[in-house]
Amino acid sequence: MLAESTVQESMTKPSNPHIENAKNIFKRLKKNKAAMVGGFLILLFILTAFIGPFLVPYGAGEQNLVNKLQGPSAEHWFGTDHLGRDIFSRIIHGMSITLYIGFFSVFIAAIFGVVIGIVSGYYGGKIDTLLMRLMDVLLAFPGILLALGVVTILRPNLNNVILAVAVFSVPAFARIVRGSTLAVKELEYIDAVRALGAGDVRIIFRHILPNVFSPIIVQATLRIATAILTAAGLSFLGLGAQPPTPEWGAMLSDGRNYIFDAGHVALFPGLAIVVVVLAFNIFGDGLRDALDPKMKS
Amino acid sequence: MTNDADVLQIDNLQTSFFIDGSEIKAVDGVSLNIPKGKTVGIVGESGSGKSITSMSVMRLIRNPGRIKGGSIHFNGEDLLQKTEKNMQNIRGNKISMIFQEPMTSLNPVYTVGQQISEVLQIHQNLSKKEALSKSVEMLELVGIPSPNDRVKQYPHELSGGMRQRVMIAIALACNPELLIADEPTTALDVTIQAQILELMNGLRKELGMSVILITHDLGVVAETCDYVAVMYAGQIVEYADVHTLFNNPKHPYTVGLMQSLPRHDMDQEELNVIEGNVPKPGEMPEGCRFAPRCPFASDICTRELPDLMETEDGNQVRCWVYSEKWDGDPEVNVKDDYKTARSQ
């Protein structure tokens, strides 16, 4: 995740106080060709996840042992695996699982991370120290190791993978939101609404949250890529989705045994992961540049 | 000095900031009464404690600041004894505030209408629809043309003067008894300043509220205030009605301020200034805080801090010259002798 380190630092700066209307943001986004390609791919993936399974010729678990380990052909675009299942169809079926993991784990992480970050930044003092040290503890573990631990404790299955990935994404959100909150809470309009009799809850959710939203969106987009990658990694290690689920990491793991005789079994799920992760990354980068043009160096 | 006609009675207010173990007394024993329906100006240099005084009234002092002592009675009830919840019911409802920077005092992500509505929803439980139509009325009241369209606009679509009008609309939406305006015109250009002041004055009369006007602009004071408190280094040094203050200022600091105003009716080679700087909060002089800069300072001034004493005309001044203990030239007249004393 090349972009991550730069985002972490730059996102703590206050978001542009003059929220520009969506039109301007989209205009800048449109100028960024790579981001547009990324965005288009993501839309395509989402569409595929919904209607793809109805269009492909084979079911996810449909075996044909006679045709096992065949290379790509007109009949089987990406070839077949060791049980004669059509790899293309399985990848399309797996799309929804991949996106489900990506979106859902990031969604959970964002909710916890944002609440922790805002509370930390807004109240400061002991609460801040406590929460942030807790986040530091989580950050001290390499992501995949932390996820491994969580999954091992909770039993390996798809939902626990989501939880595991969410856990290690929380600190990223918490830190960024805390930084932005520290900047926003000093702004005069926060004093102004407090002087109007607004309580903490109203100030936090109605006035600070919308003003720290753009870094959250950017971080979420980039985090989805990380989440997908980690989840695939866990499945590859046998700790995520269990066979015969057409999860890409698991498929990659299946293909590992035949990598020298039938490389395509591992190649295509691997490629699928790369393309999806890449799409989210370049779109996230483009979104960041579009949301805060001043940050672009 | 206490009487029923006062909306607000600040008594011996002390607000300090505690930084690195040392105490910085930002407001040190301020007592001030705000009569019903009148405008009281608080004048002073930056750092004299005028904004901290007003923030203390709103109980909006944040860490590391703390209100250390004194009392602030609003309609007979001590605000310093109220819970935070009770204070929230008062803020924006009974006591409102206008801030200095109209450019940054509105939340950029909400429309003007939503922001006026918010205060109505907090305090008057109006529905969204009712609040919005009241918002349009408020915009009309503060003289914004085509309020029906403006109500849907975002702050960045309005000019500085317009935004300050919106701030006033928000502050007045709940019909407060007291309005605190913290340098409401500083960020605006001169023609707009006059309009905003006129608007505030008109609305004050119309709605019968009291106003605390914080400013460092003596011109603004002369135009709008009934009474004036001059602050220096966290204390009130002179309190008088506006005519007396301008015609017959008593404290050397006030006189200095008046004389440092550029005069359009005289040929001036250079501007008069008050030499030196406001003492740093950590290094307050032992005696009168103005003594190091005062051209009249005598022995007692450097030894003892004078009290705020009543003068014959019922005003107040914090200066040894007007005391029996005065040990300097007994014939001195601060106003007339200021220039000669300064040049010596």
Side-chain angles (χ1 to χ4, degrees):
Chain A
M1 235 75 338
L2 188 102
E4 212 170 272
S5 60
T6 52
V7 177
Q8 297 255 355
E9 285 137 22
S10 48
M11 276 298 149
T12 52
K13 276 190 250 164
S15 60
N16 189 354
H18 300 282
I19 294 293
E20 297 179 61
N21 49 37
K23 232 190 242 163
N24 280 344
I25 293 169
F26 189 66
K27 214 188 267 168
R28 279 198 299 274
L29 197 60
K30 248 182 12 193
K31 272 194 210 142
N32 187 341
K33 291 270 152 41
M36 284 312 282
V37 172
F40 176 73
L41 282 176
I42 291 171
L43 280 180
L44 194 72
F45 296 152
I46 294 171
L47 202 68
T48 308
F50 279 108
I51 62 167
F54 302 106
L55 300 179
V56 291
Y58 300 95
E62 212 176 308
Q63 300 185 7
N64 182 351
L65 287 170
V66 183
N67 281 333
K68 67 177 185 176
L69 294 176
Q70 284 191 352
S73 63
E75 177 72 3
H76 302 288
W77 290 359
F78 291 175
T80 60
D81 67 3
H82 62 295
L83 295 173
R85 296 174 293 195
D86 181 50
I87 292 176
F88 179 70
S89 302
R90 278 174 70 75
I91 285 179
I92 299 296
H93 280 286
M95 182 69 81
S96 59
I97 298 173
T98 301
L99 294 187
Y100 171 67
I101 294 173
F103 281 114
F104 208 60
S105 63
V106 166
F107 182 69
I108 295 173
I111 288 181
F112 281 96
V114 167
V115 170
I116 290 173
I118 285 199
V119 167
S120 229
Y122 182 76
Y123 289 104
K126 288 202 181 88
I127 299 174
D128 180 32
T129 313
L130 184 77
L131 288 174
M132 281 302 121
R133 290 305 79 79
L134 207 67
M135 294 298 107
D136 286 346
V137 169
L138 288 182
L139 276 177
F141 294 100
I144 189 91
L145 212 62
L146 189 68
L148 260 173
V150 174
V151 171
T152 320
I153 294 167
L154 295 175
R155 257 175 358 100
N157 66 39
L158 202 63
N159 285 330
N160 287 341
V161 167
I162 290 176
L163 211 64
V165 174
V167 167
F168 94 83
S169 294
V170 167
F173 283 100
R175 282 187 143 193
I176 283 172
V177 171
R178 174 180 175 267
S180 305
T181 304
L182 283 178
V184 170
K185 80 165 180 180
E186 296 300 330
L187 295 176
E188 213 162 20
Y189 59 79
I190 299 299
D191 280 334
V193 290
R194 191 176 285 116
L196 293 177
D200 287 346
V201 175
R202 177 180 280 269
I203 292 174
I204 287 177
F205 289 104
R206 262 188 68 92
H207 293 277
I208 293 182
L209 187 59
N211 283 294
V212 298
F213 222 73
S214 48
I216 296 176
I217 291 175
V218 173
Q219 181 64 14
T221 317
L222 293 170
R223 271 282 142 180
I224 287 174
T226 322
I228 289 173
L229 207 59
T230 314
L234 284 175
S235 296
F236 181 82
L237 294 173
L239 291 168
Q242 299 299 316
T245 318
E247 206 279 335
W248 297 349
M251 289 168 70
L252 197 67
S253 176
D254 282 345
R256 187 187 45 179
N257 299 325
Y258 313 100
I259 200 148
F260 297 114
D261 313 322
H264 66 273
V265 182
L267 176 70
F268 287 109
L271 267 181
I273 295 171
V274 168
V275 171
V276 170
V277 169
L278 195 64
F280 275 104
N281 263 336
I282 57 178
F283 183 67
D285 282 348
L287 205 58
R288 181 194 52 206
D289 295 342
L291 283 171
D292 199 345
K294 272 183 268 167
M295 241 159 47
K296 199 174 175 183
S297 47
Chain B
M1 280 292 283
T2 310
N3 69 59
D4 293 338
D6 293 334
V7 177
L8 191 78
Q9 295 158 349
I10 305 174
D11 189 37
N12 194 25
L13 176 70
Q14 293 168 324
T15 304
S16 293
F17 287 79
F18 296 87
I19 297 166
D20 295 334
S22 66
E23 179 186 355
I24 291 166
K25 295 180 178 173
V27 173
D28 193 5
V30 163
S31 300
L32 186 63
N33 293 342
I34 313 296
K36 235 171 216 152
K38 301 284 184 195
T39 302
V40 175
I42 303 182
V43 197
E45 288 170 79
S46 309
S48 59
K50 49 196 197 308
S51 288
I52 302 295
T53 304
S54 67
M55 294 302 260
S56 299
V57 172
M58 296 293 274
R59 287 258 315 269
L60 285 174
I61 300 291
R62 267 188 295 170
N63 259 331
R66 213 174 53 192
I67 300 175
K68 233 179 53 181
S71 67
I72 301 172
H73 282 86
F74 177 69
N75 284 336
E77 290 175 60
D78 191 354
L79 294 180
L80 298 185
Q81 305 302 326
K82 297 225 176 248
T83 60
E84 174 62 21
K85 195 91 212 136
N86 286 337
M87 271 318 290
Q88 284 175 14
N89 289 332
I90 290 172
R91 289 182 202 133
N93 192 17
K94 300 274 198 296
I95 307 178
S96 274
M97 197 161 177
I98 304 173
F99 287 83
Q100 183 175 355
E101 278 289 340
M103 301 316 250
T104 54
S105 295
L106 291 166
N107 193 331
V109 304
Y110 294 114
T111 63
V112 164
Q114 283 170 322
Q115 299 193 52
I116 305 175
S117 296
E118 180 165 26
V119 63
L120 291 163
Q121 285 168 321
I122 294 176
H123 294 298
Q124 301 190 343
N125 261 329
L126 295 187
S127 72
K128 248 188 187 156
K129 222 173 156 189
E130 292 168 321
L132 203 66
S133 71
K134 179 88 199 274
S135 304
V136 175
E137 278 173 43
M138 288 311 297
L139 286 182
E140 201 160 11
L141 182 73
V142 297
I144 288 185
S146 51
N148 276 310
D149 301 326
R150 292 292 182 184
V151 83
K152 293 179 213 127
Q153 290 189 321
Y154 287 89
H156 71 90
E157 298 175 82
L158 304 178
S159 68
M162 287 274 202
R163 283 188 222 187
Q164 197 58 297
R165 281 172 196 265
V166 171
M167 290 303 298
I168 295 174
I170 293 174
L172 301 188
C174 292
N175 247 329
E177 291 172 52
L178 176 65
L179 176 70
I180 300 175
D182 191 350
E183 311 211 15
T185 56
T186 310
L188 304 172
D189 61 57
V190 192
T191 48
I192 309 295
Q193 274 186 17
Q195 289 176 17
I196 294 288
L197 289 174
E198 205 171 303
L199 173 73
M200 278 179 44
N201 237 345
L203 290 174
R204 174 180 63 87
K205 280 179 201 143
E206 206 177 315
L207 307 172
M209 60 182 176
S210 312
V211 176
I212 299 179
L213 184 74
I214 294 166
T215 181
H216 54 241
D217 187 338
L218 285 170
V220 170
V221 169
E223 252 173 87
T224 49
C225 295
D226 298 303
Y227 299 96
V228 189
V230 181
M231 282 191 74
Y232 185 80
Q235 297 179 322
I236 291 180
V237 293
E238 183 160 3
Y239 179 83
D241 64 89
V242 73
H243 295 290
T244 313
L245 190 89
F246 277 90
N247 294 332
N248 192 13
K250 292 200 179 59
H251 197 280
Y253 177 62
T254 316
V255 177
L257 278 184
M258 303 278 180
Q259 300 213 349
S260 48
L261 282 178
R263 297 282 296 258
H264 303 298
D265 53 349
M266 276 196 246
D267 243 356
Q268 266 180 310
E269 289 277 314
E270 55 184 310
L271 286 174
N272 294 312
V273 293
I274 305 176
E275 304 281 340
N277 280 309
V278 185
K280 290 205 186 94
E283 306 161 8
M284 283 298 169
E286 211 173 301
C288 172
R289 293 184 176 177
F290 187 61
R293 300 170 75 184
C294 182
F296 303 104
S298 76
D299 286 348
I300 191 165
C301 301
T302 51
R303 278 199 322 268
E304 274 180 72
L305 181 67
D307 288 328
L308 198 56
M309 351 185 193
E310 205 127 329
T311 56
E312 311 103 65
D313 47 7
N315 295 316
Q316 293 170 310
V317 62
R318 190 190 288 277
C319 181
W320 284 123
V321 172
Y322 305 97
S323 148
E324 286 162 8
K325 284 163 113 182
W326 173 239
D327 57 357
D329 176 6
E331 298 294 310
V332 73
N333 181 319
V334 172
K335 187 188 164 203
D336 297 338
D337 299 343
Y338 186 84
K339 240 184 199 154
T340 34
R342 205 173 69 91
S343 54
Q344 277 163 15

